[in-house]
Amino acid sequence: MKNIVLFASGSGSNAENIILHFRQNKTARVTAVFCNNLNAGVIAKAENLDIPVVLFSKSELNEAIVLHKLQVFRPDLIVLAGFLLKFPDNIIGNYPNKIINIHPALLPKYGGKGMYGMNVHNAILQNKDIETGISIHYVNEHYDEGGLIFQAKIGIEDCVSAEAIALRIHQLEKEHFPIQIEKLLK
């Protein structure tokens, strides 16, 4: 069985969805959730599902302390599920093409530093785009520039708020993210 380690900073809706998916599908299992935010909702969600949580600071991430803690879980794939810090070169170098992220837009549009969550949805709304979507991509040393794995589009011409766009994006994430992870691990 393959091992997945999740990195998350927020509410944990994607992390929870991935954990539950692999509870029913025996291709892989989530062995840990790594989190840099002591107040993140993902902590309670992971603990309620009996998944170990590893808390760390930004400096521990960049000083290779997190790398050493990560190696204990022997990940076959590292999945960023709402993780907001730039991923350090020391982990990327140790896990080439084994780290993926999901982005709430159709990259390369609306990618880069500071483009996450509602910032992305607000930009899409202001630009009056008629469609958006999700991008699942490999993580490299630059924000949102790793090779694309998968994209899914959805129409948003009737959305009048960034929150409405966010709801549609969450549905795409829930539907596609676990399945794409599973495909990568086969």
Side-chain angles (χ1 to χ4, degrees):
M1 184 175 290
K2 304 275 178 96
N3 293 327
I4 301 167
V5 172
L6 302 176
F7 277 72
S9 299
S11 69
S13 56
N14 272 323
E16 181 179 48
N17 187 40
I18 293 164
I19 293 165
L20 293 173
H21 177 84
F22 286 102
R23 287 253 167 102
Q24 297 171 9
N25 177 313
K26 301 303 180 186
T27 315
R29 64 181 176 211
V30 175
T31 56
V33 172
F34 279 59
C35 182
N36 64 303
N37 176 358
L38 296 173
N39 299 313
V42 71
I43 296 168
K45 286 179 177 153
E47 288 174 346
N48 287 339
L49 293 166
D50 297 319
I51 303 296
V53 175
V54 178
L55 296 170
F56 61 91
S57 67
K58 185 175 181 179
S59 63
E60 289 172 326
L61 178 67
N62 294 319
E63 294 167 2
I65 293 168
V66 171
L67 172 62
H68 297 303
K69 290 179 180 183
L70 180 61
Q71 290 168 332
V72 171
F73 294 97
R74 303 174 62 160
D76 295 290
L77 191 66
I78 299 166
V79 177
L80 311 188
F83 184 68
L84 300 182
L85 296 179
K86 187 171 186 297
F87 226 60
D89 292 344
N90 63 22
I91 298 177
I92 294 169
N94 276 277
Y95 295 95
N97 296 316
K98 298 288 183 193
I99 307 168
I100 66 169
N101 185 33
I102 191 164
H103 187 75
L106 296 170
L107 292 173
K109 290 178 80 174
Y110 306 108
K113 186 173 182 170
M115 293 305 289
Y116 59 87
M118 293 307 287
N119 295 346
V120 172
H121 308 314
N122 280 316
I124 290 167
L125 186 68
Q126 287 173 356
N127 286 328
K128 298 182 169 84
D129 288 4
I130 60 168
E131 71 176 9
T132 188
I134 59 169
S135 300
I136 299 171
H137 63 92
Y138 289 104
V139 173
N140 66 15
E141 63 276 4
H142 303 289
Y143 285 110
D144 303 323
E145 290 184 13
L148 280 175
I149 299 164
F150 175 84
Q151 288 186 313
K153 296 179 184 178
I154 192 162
I156 55 164
E157 56 276 349
D158 60 335
C159 289
V160 295
S161 69
E163 291 77 16
I165 294 170
L167 286 173
R168 295 215 178 142
I169 291 300
H170 290 312
Q171 282 305 115
L172 285 179
E173 291 172 341
K174 186 174 184 178
E175 178 183 349
H176 294 288
F177 204 13
I179 292 165
Q180 294 304 314
I181 293 167
E182 186 179 327
K183 286 180 180 180
L184 285 173
L185 289 170
K186 286 186 175 177

